[in-house]
Amino acid sequence: MGRRQTDSDLHRFTLWVLFLIAAIACCMAYYSFSVSLKGNSDTIFVGSSESWRGNEEEREGDGCCRGVEHLELWGDAMKWGSDFKLNSSEECCRACKEMCEGDDGPCLCDSWVFCGNKQDCGSRFGEVSQHLFLSSLTVIYSILRFVATNKIVGLDFGECWLKKQKDALDPDWRDSGDKVIWTSGLVFGKGEGIIKLKTEHGIVNVKLFPDCAPHSVYYILELLSLQHCAGCQFYRAESRGNSWDLRGNHIEHAPYGPPYALIQGTVDAYGTVFKDIPQEACPTIRRGSIAWVGSGPDFFISLANHHEWKKAYTVFGQVLPEDMEIVEKISQLPTIPEVWSNVKVAVLERPVPLRFIRMKKSP
């Protein structure tokens, strides 16, 4: 029969545990301190003029590259910012895109985090970058939290963390708000970032553009988590008429409307509070483009290439070409004429309910 453990035994055991924790914490602190110093002396600061292949004219076709300020995304680090520094969040975004250029397999990078505040991201000891501990063992998680919260590691201006989300349509949000010094964004490669727009006339697949309209895309991703979207519907439908051909090209000398070749709806779901979305990067409206009307929640899907609208609307997605037949079908539904601010429009006799849903995860 074992003897009862005395208070003295418990005290000695506790001291040993505390000593072990302190030793591991010191090792981690030394490691973090070394990484920080290494980042200050040996890292490569890539300049904007030398960061990317090709000249400026070649890169104009790459599209926009934007993120959301005061937002920190979590995720597995593919490239550590302590060893990778750039001049701007746009360059950080493009670095992520460069890891997503291959046609084979998924993107190696689908999210990025940039420290662009020169005052708060200077070469100093200060607020901790907890990214260093993403790959640490679970058994010492509490110790790493201790090290992190005691602000052992310093941050540098220009740190660009390239990451991979476990689920790109449900990114791991670390923190947000005015006190957050990070800017974060998502990058969807070929065949990624596709959601479904469900209607009674069929399902329309939509490719999202987080690099052009990150605020807009984050709102759409929030809608994916809703069990319903009561009040979300298409209420206006206008065909291409005689002004645009089957490919959406404008016919010479034809008027630009009415009809205006679009279907219009809203995602202002009952029971939710919609916050106006700021105007973002705006590619030209073309056939299949999905864009906000003003700051939302009303939006439209274009049936034509509206070059005459230039960049007046925030485009946050694109209907896949093979699904435009369903959009055309909705545009042919019975309507009644109305006049909005001296503009003739066609309003659906019966609104078409809609809901954004995510594609099923691969098994």
Side-chain angles (χ1 to χ4, degrees), residues 16-53:
W16 274 107
V17 171
L18 291 175
F19 174 78
L20 180 61
I21 292 175
I24 297 176
C26 288
C27 291
M28 291 302 301
Y30 174 77
Y31 171 76
S32 301
F33 180 75
S34 300
V35 169
S36 177
L37 290 181
K38 182 179 182 296
N40 291 336
S41 59
D42 298 334
T43 53
I44 300 175
F45 199 101
V46 185
S48 58
S49 61
E50 300 177 355
S51 300
W52 320 111
R53 296 189 301 271

Short mmCIF file of all heavy atoms in Angstrom, two decimals, residues 16-53:
data_model
loop_
_atom_site.label_atom_id
_atom_site.label_comp_id
_atom_site.label_asym_id
_atom_site.label_seq_id
_atom_site.Cartn_x
_atom_site.Cartn_y
_atom_site.Cartn_z
N TRP A 16 9.15 21.76 -8.87
CA TRP A 16 9.75 21.16 -10.05
C TRP A 16 8.96 21.53 -11.32
O TRP A 16 9.54 21.83 -12.37
CB TRP A 16 9.81 19.64 -9.91
CG TRP A 16 11.04 19.17 -9.19
CD1 TRP A 16 11.14 18.68 -7.92
CD2 TRP A 16 12.38 19.17 -9.72
NE1 TRP A 16 12.44 18.38 -7.61
CE2 TRP A 16 13.23 18.67 -8.70
CE3 TRP A 16 12.94 19.56 -10.94
CZ2 TRP A 16 14.60 18.53 -8.87
CZ3 TRP A 16 14.30 19.42 -11.11
CH2 TRP A 16 15.12 18.92 -10.07
N VAL A 17 7.63 21.51 -11.24
CA VAL A 17 6.79 21.86 -12.39
C VAL A 17 7.02 23.31 -12.79
O VAL A 17 7.19 23.64 -13.96
CB VAL A 17 5.30 21.60 -12.07
CG1 VAL A 17 4.42 22.17 -13.19
CG2 VAL A 17 5.04 20.12 -11.90
N LEU A 18 7.05 24.20 -11.78
CA LEU A 18 7.28 25.61 -12.06
C LEU A 18 8.66 25.84 -12.68
O LEU A 18 8.83 26.66 -13.58
CB LEU A 18 7.12 26.44 -10.79
CG LEU A 18 5.70 26.55 -10.23
CD1 LEU A 18 5.71 27.29 -8.90
CD2 LEU A 18 4.79 27.25 -11.22
N PHE A 19 9.65 25.09 -12.17
CA PHE A 19 11.01 25.21 -12.70
C PHE A 19 11.05 24.77 -14.16
O PHE A 19 11.67 25.42 -15.01
CB PHE A 19 11.98 24.37 -11.87
CG PHE A 19 13.37 24.34 -12.44
CD1 PHE A 19 14.24 25.42 -12.25
CD2 PHE A 19 13.82 23.25 -13.17
CE1 PHE A 19 15.51 25.40 -12.79
CE2 PHE A 19 15.09 23.24 -13.72
CZ PHE A 19 15.95 24.31 -13.52
N LEU A 20 10.35 23.67 -14.47
CA LEU A 20 10.33 23.17 -15.84
C LEU A 20 9.66 24.18 -16.78
O LEU A 20 10.14 24.45 -17.88
CB LEU A 20 9.57 21.83 -15.89
CG LEU A 20 9.46 21.17 -17.28
CD1 LEU A 20 10.83 20.87 -17.85
CD2 LEU A 20 8.63 19.90 -17.19
N ILE A 21 8.52 24.75 -16.31
CA ILE A 21 7.83 25.75 -17.12
C ILE A 21 8.72 26.95 -17.37
O ILE A 21 8.81 27.48 -18.48
CB ILE A 21 6.51 26.17 -16.44
CG1 ILE A 21 5.52 25.00 -16.45
CG2 ILE A 21 5.90 27.39 -17.13
CD1 ILE A 21 4.23 25.29 -15.70
N ALA A 22 9.40 27.39 -16.31
CA ALA A 22 10.28 28.56 -16.45
C ALA A 22 11.41 28.29 -17.42
O ALA A 22 11.78 29.16 -18.23
CB ALA A 22 10.83 28.95 -15.07
N ALA A 23 11.98 27.07 -17.36
CA ALA A 23 13.07 26.73 -18.26
C ALA A 23 12.62 26.74 -19.71
O ALA A 23 13.29 27.28 -20.60
CB ALA A 23 13.63 25.35 -17.90
N ILE A 24 11.45 26.14 -19.98
CA ILE A 24 10.94 26.10 -21.35
C ILE A 24 10.61 27.53 -21.82
O ILE A 24 10.89 27.90 -22.95
CB ILE A 24 9.69 25.20 -21.45
CG1 ILE A 24 10.07 23.75 -21.11
CG2 ILE A 24 9.06 25.28 -22.83
CD1 ILE A 24 8.90 22.80 -21.08
N ALA A 25 10.03 28.32 -20.92
CA ALA A 25 9.68 29.69 -21.28
C ALA A 25 10.93 30.49 -21.62
O ALA A 25 10.93 31.29 -22.57
CB ALA A 25 8.92 30.36 -20.13
N CYS A 26 12.00 30.30 -20.86
CA CYS A 26 13.25 31.01 -21.14
C CYS A 26 13.81 30.61 -22.51
O CYS A 26 14.32 31.45 -23.26
CB CYS A 26 14.28 30.73 -20.05
SG CYS A 26 13.89 31.53 -18.47
N CYS A 27 13.73 29.31 -22.81
CA CYS A 27 14.21 28.85 -24.11
C CYS A 27 13.41 29.48 -25.25
O CYS A 27 13.96 29.92 -26.26
CB CYS A 27 14.11 27.31 -24.19
SG CYS A 27 15.27 26.46 -23.10
N MET A 28 12.10 29.51 -25.04
CA MET A 28 11.26 30.11 -26.07
C MET A 28 11.53 31.60 -26.20
O MET A 28 11.53 32.15 -27.30
CB MET A 28 9.77 29.88 -25.74
CG MET A 28 9.32 28.43 -25.86
SD MET A 28 9.62 27.75 -27.51
CE MET A 28 8.67 28.88 -28.50
N ALA A 29 11.75 32.27 -25.08
CA ALA A 29 12.04 33.70 -25.12
C ALA A 29 13.35 33.96 -25.86
O ALA A 29 13.46 34.88 -26.67
CB ALA A 29 12.12 34.26 -23.69
N TYR A 30 14.38 33.12 -25.58
CA TYR A 30 15.67 33.27 -26.26
C TYR A 30 15.52 33.04 -27.76
O TYR A 30 16.05 33.79 -28.58
CB TYR A 30 16.67 32.27 -25.68
CG TYR A 30 18.00 32.26 -26.43
CD1 TYR A 30 18.94 33.27 -26.23
CD2 TYR A 30 18.27 31.26 -27.36
CE1 TYR A 30 20.13 33.27 -26.94
CE2 TYR A 30 19.46 31.25 -28.07
CZ TYR A 30 20.40 32.26 -27.84
OH TYR A 30 21.56 32.25 -28.54
N TYR A 31 14.73 32.03 -28.11
CA TYR A 31 14.51 31.73 -29.52
C TYR A 31 13.81 32.89 -30.21
O TYR A 31 14.19 33.32 -31.30
CB TYR A 31 13.66 30.45 -29.66
CG TYR A 31 13.21 30.18 -31.06
CD1 TYR A 31 14.09 29.68 -32.02
CD2 TYR A 31 11.90 30.45 -31.44
CE1 TYR A 31 13.67 29.44 -33.32
CE2 TYR A 31 11.47 30.22 -32.74
CZ TYR A 31 12.36 29.71 -33.66
OH TYR A 31 11.94 29.49 -34.94
N SER A 32 12.76 33.40 -29.56
CA SER A 32 12.01 34.50 -30.15
C SER A 32 12.87 35.75 -30.29
O SER A 32 12.81 36.47 -31.28
CB SER A 32 10.78 34.83 -29.28
OG SER A 32 9.96 33.70 -29.17
N PHE A 33 13.70 36.01 -29.25
CA PHE A 33 14.60 37.16 -29.29
C PHE A 33 15.59 37.03 -30.44
O PHE A 33 15.86 37.98 -31.17
CB PHE A 33 15.34 37.25 -27.95
CG PHE A 33 16.29 38.42 -27.88
CD1 PHE A 33 15.81 39.71 -27.71
CD2 PHE A 33 17.66 38.22 -28.00
CE1 PHE A 33 16.68 40.78 -27.64
CE2 PHE A 33 18.53 39.29 -27.94
CZ PHE A 33 18.04 40.57 -27.76
N SER A 34 16.08 35.81 -30.66
CA SER A 34 17.04 35.58 -31.74
C SER A 34 16.39 35.80 -33.09
O SER A 34 16.98 36.40 -33.99
CB SER A 34 17.59 34.14 -31.65
OG SER A 34 18.23 33.93 -30.42
N VAL A 35 15.14 35.30 -33.24
CA VAL A 35 14.43 35.48 -34.50
C VAL A 35 14.22 36.95 -34.78
O VAL A 35 14.36 37.43 -35.91
CB VAL A 35 13.07 34.73 -34.47
CG1 VAL A 35 12.22 35.11 -35.66
CG2 VAL A 35 13.32 33.23 -34.44
N SER A 36 13.86 37.70 -33.71
CA SER A 36 13.62 39.13 -33.88
C SER A 36 14.88 39.85 -34.34
O SER A 36 14.85 40.67 -35.24
CB SER A 36 13.12 39.73 -32.57
OG SER A 36 12.94 41.12 -32.69
N LEU A 37 16.02 39.54 -33.71
CA LEU A 37 17.27 40.16 -34.10
C LEU A 37 17.66 39.78 -35.51
O LEU A 37 18.14 40.58 -36.30
CB LEU A 37 18.38 39.77 -33.12
CG LEU A 37 18.27 40.37 -31.71
CD1 LEU A 37 19.44 39.90 -30.87
CD2 LEU A 37 18.23 41.90 -31.77
N LYS A 38 17.43 38.51 -35.84
CA LYS A 38 17.74 38.04 -37.19
C LYS A 38 16.91 38.79 -38.22
O LYS A 38 17.39 39.18 -39.27
CB LYS A 38 17.46 36.53 -37.30
CG LYS A 38 17.80 35.95 -38.68
CD LYS A 38 17.52 34.46 -38.68
CE LYS A 38 17.90 33.85 -40.02
NZ LYS A 38 17.09 34.35 -41.12
N GLY A 39 15.63 39.03 -37.85
CA GLY A 39 14.76 39.75 -38.78
C GLY A 39 15.26 41.16 -39.02
O GLY A 39 15.09 41.72 -40.09
N ASN A 40 15.91 41.78 -38.01
CA ASN A 40 16.37 43.15 -38.17
C ASN A 40 17.63 43.24 -39.01
O ASN A 40 17.92 44.25 -39.62
CB ASN A 40 16.66 43.77 -36.79
CG ASN A 40 15.37 43.98 -36.01
OD1 ASN A 40 14.30 44.09 -36.59
ND2 ASN A 40 15.48 44.02 -34.70
N SER A 41 18.43 42.19 -39.03
CA SER A 41 19.73 42.28 -39.67
C SER A 41 19.84 41.57 -40.99
O SER A 41 20.51 42.03 -41.90
CB SER A 41 20.80 41.71 -38.71
OG SER A 41 20.51 40.36 -38.41
N ASP A 42 19.15 40.42 -41.14
CA ASP A 42 19.40 39.58 -42.30
C ASP A 42 18.24 39.50 -43.28
O ASP A 42 18.38 38.92 -44.34
CB ASP A 42 19.73 38.14 -41.85
CG ASP A 42 21.00 38.11 -41.01
OD1 ASP A 42 21.83 39.01 -41.18
OD2 ASP A 42 21.14 37.19 -40.19
N THR A 43 17.06 40.02 -42.93
CA THR A 43 15.92 39.84 -43.82
C THR A 43 16.04 40.72 -45.04
O THR A 43 16.70 41.75 -45.05
CB THR A 43 14.61 40.18 -43.09
OG1 THR A 43 14.74 41.49 -42.53
CG2 THR A 43 14.33 39.19 -42.00
N ILE A 44 15.34 40.29 -46.11
CA ILE A 44 15.37 41.02 -47.37
C ILE A 44 14.16 41.93 -47.42
O ILE A 44 13.02 41.50 -47.31
CB ILE A 44 15.34 40.04 -48.55
CG1 ILE A 44 16.55 39.12 -48.49
CG2 ILE A 44 15.28 40.78 -49.87
CD1 ILE A 44 16.54 38.05 -49.54
N PHE A 45 14.38 43.23 -47.59
CA PHE A 45 13.29 44.19 -47.75
C PHE A 45 13.13 44.43 -49.24
O PHE A 45 13.95 45.09 -49.86
CB PHE A 45 13.63 45.49 -47.02
CG PHE A 45 12.42 46.33 -46.74
CD1 PHE A 45 11.86 46.35 -45.48
CD2 PHE A 45 11.85 47.09 -47.75
CE1 PHE A 45 10.76 47.13 -45.22
CE2 PHE A 45 10.75 47.87 -47.50
CZ PHE A 45 10.20 47.90 -46.22
N VAL A 46 12.07 43.86 -49.80
CA VAL A 46 11.89 43.90 -51.24
C VAL A 46 11.28 45.22 -51.64
O VAL A 46 10.24 45.62 -51.12
CB VAL A 46 10.98 42.74 -51.71
CG1 VAL A 46 10.89 42.72 -53.22
CG2 VAL A 46 11.53 41.42 -51.19
N GLY A 47 11.88 45.94 -52.56
CA GLY A 47 11.38 47.23 -53.00
C GLY A 47 10.27 47.07 -54.01
O GLY A 47 10.16 46.06 -54.70
N SER A 48 9.43 48.11 -54.13
CA SER A 48 8.28 48.03 -55.04
C SER A 48 8.70 47.92 -56.49
O SER A 48 8.00 47.37 -57.31
CB SER A 48 7.39 49.26 -54.85
OG SER A 48 8.14 50.44 -55.09
N SER A 49 9.85 48.46 -56.85
CA SER A 49 10.27 48.43 -58.25
C SER A 49 10.91 47.11 -58.65
O SER A 49 11.08 46.84 -59.82
CB SER A 49 11.26 49.57 -58.52
OG SER A 49 12.42 49.39 -57.72
N GLU A 50 11.25 46.27 -57.67
CA GLU A 50 11.94 45.03 -57.99
C GLU A 50 11.20 43.79 -57.49
O GLU A 50 11.69 42.69 -57.58
CB GLU A 50 13.34 45.04 -57.37
CG GLU A 50 14.21 46.18 -57.85
CD GLU A 50 15.55 46.21 -57.14
OE1 GLU A 50 15.75 45.39 -56.22
OE2 GLU A 50 16.38 47.03 -57.50
N SER A 51 9.98 43.99 -56.98
CA SER A 51 9.30 42.89 -56.32
C SER A 51 8.73 41.87 -57.27
O SER A 51 8.64 40.70 -56.94
CB SER A 51 8.17 43.44 -55.45
OG SER A 51 8.68 44.31 -54.48
N TRP A 52 8.31 42.33 -58.46
CA TRP A 52 7.53 41.44 -59.30
C TRP A 52 8.13 41.32 -60.69
O TRP A 52 8.75 42.23 -61.19
CB TRP A 52 6.09 41.97 -59.40
CG TRP A 52 5.64 42.48 -58.08
CD1 TRP A 52 5.41 43.77 -57.73
CD2 TRP A 52 5.45 41.71 -56.89
NE1 TRP A 52 5.07 43.86 -56.42
CE2 TRP A 52 5.09 42.60 -55.88
CE3 TRP A 52 5.54 40.34 -56.59
CZ2 TRP A 52 4.83 42.19 -54.59
CZ3 TRP A 52 5.27 39.93 -55.31
CH2 TRP A 52 4.92 40.84 -54.33
N ARG A 53 7.89 40.19 -61.30
CA ARG A 53 8.42 39.95 -62.63
C ARG A 53 7.72 40.86 -63.65
O ARG A 53 6.54 41.15 -63.55
CB ARG A 53 8.19 38.49 -63.03
CG ARG A 53 8.94 37.51 -62.15
CD ARG A 53 8.83 36.13 -62.73
NE ARG A 53 7.45 35.70 -62.84
CZ ARG A 53 6.82 35.06 -61.88
NH1 ARG A 53 7.42 34.81 -60.73
NH2 ARG A 53 5.57 34.68 -62.04
#
